[in-house]
Every structure is written in C-alpha cells, then in structure tokens.
Amino acid sequence: QVQLVESGGGLVQPGGSLRLSCAASGFTFSSYDMRWYRQAPGKERELVAGITRALITNPGGSTYYADSVKGRFTISRDYAKSTVNLQMNSLKPEDTAVYYCIAPTLGSWGQGTQVTVSS
C-alpha cells in the first residue's frame, strides 16, 4: 500500500536551516506529482510546495511554492531513492508546524515531522 514517511524535522533557531525528506513506497513514484503541506497549531493545513512528475517535455519537473516560503524553501525529488525533499533556509518562527508530504492524486498522508523554529 501507499506509504509516505517524513523525517528531518527538529528544533532550529530563527535564520537556521533544515532539510526534510519523505520516503515513498507502494506506488510508482515517478508517475506522481508530490507536495509538502504544513499545519500549525490551531490552523488549517496549507500547501507549502509542490513538484510535478517528470515529463518528456520537462524531465526535471516543475516546482511551485506558497508565497510565504518563496526564495527560502526548495523542493526536489530523487527518483533513484523515491524521495521528495524540502530544503528550508532562513527559517522563521511562523514556519513552526508539522510538515507532511503527499501524492495529491493518491490522497494518503504520512505521519508528519515536527519543525519548531524558536530561540
């Protein structure tokens, strides 16, 4: 079955960096778009970043980001390892949340990984 396992979260000071990883299994990873979402306490889950599957016309896939993270976060995928990664730089306290990955057309969520940005 579809399985997504997020890792890499932790406690970091403002201005610091973290790299999240999501290991995917149970489906043909290369055939699906992937996204990262986050959910802060008391707030709705929100889209952070997405990356499309590889196409003949665009082998690297296309990426898109929430306005709040543009220029600070970078999403990427490793087809050999079936992972989707989120490099987060210049972290702010408002980035504190549980981060989840998903293949949106499959609809299965991982357990999430906690990111806390605090001094």
Side-chain angles (χ1 to χ4, degrees):
Q1 72 276 19
V2 174
Q3 190 170 16
L4 298 166
V5 180
E6 300 94 337
S7 62
L11 173 64
V12 63
Q13 292 187 341
S17 298
L18 283 174
R19 182 176 177 85
L20 306 184
S21 185
C22 171
S25 61
F27 62 102
T28 305
F29 178 73
S30 60
S31 298
Y32 290 86
D33 297 356
M34 298 296 297
R35 293 178 181 170
W36 281 96
Y37 283 78
R38 67 186 181 187
Q39 188 167 21
K43 295 188 177 182
E44 294 187 356
R45 197 168 294 187
E46 64 174 356
L47 175 65
V48 175
I51 185 166
T52 62
R53 65 195 185 282
L55 299 173
I56 294 175
T57 55
N58 189 2
S62 296
T63 59
Y64 48 94
Y65 300 91
D67 287 343
S68 59
V69 307
K70 278 181 184 177
R72 301 188 297 122
F73 290 12
T74 303
I75 188 171
S76 62
R77 61 194 300 169
D78 185 329
Y79 290 99
K81 297 180 180 179
S82 294
T83 59
V84 57
N85 305 304
L86 187 67
Q87 178 66 44
M88 306 187 297
N89 299 328
S90 302
L91 284 162
K92 304 175 181 180
E94 51 263 42
D95 295 318
T96 295
V98 179
Y99 285 71
Y100 302 87
C101 70
I102 186 173
T105 55
L106 294 176
S108 293
W109 297 93
Q111 84 289 348
T113 186
Q114 175 70 48
V115 171
T116 303
V117 184
S118 175
S119 54

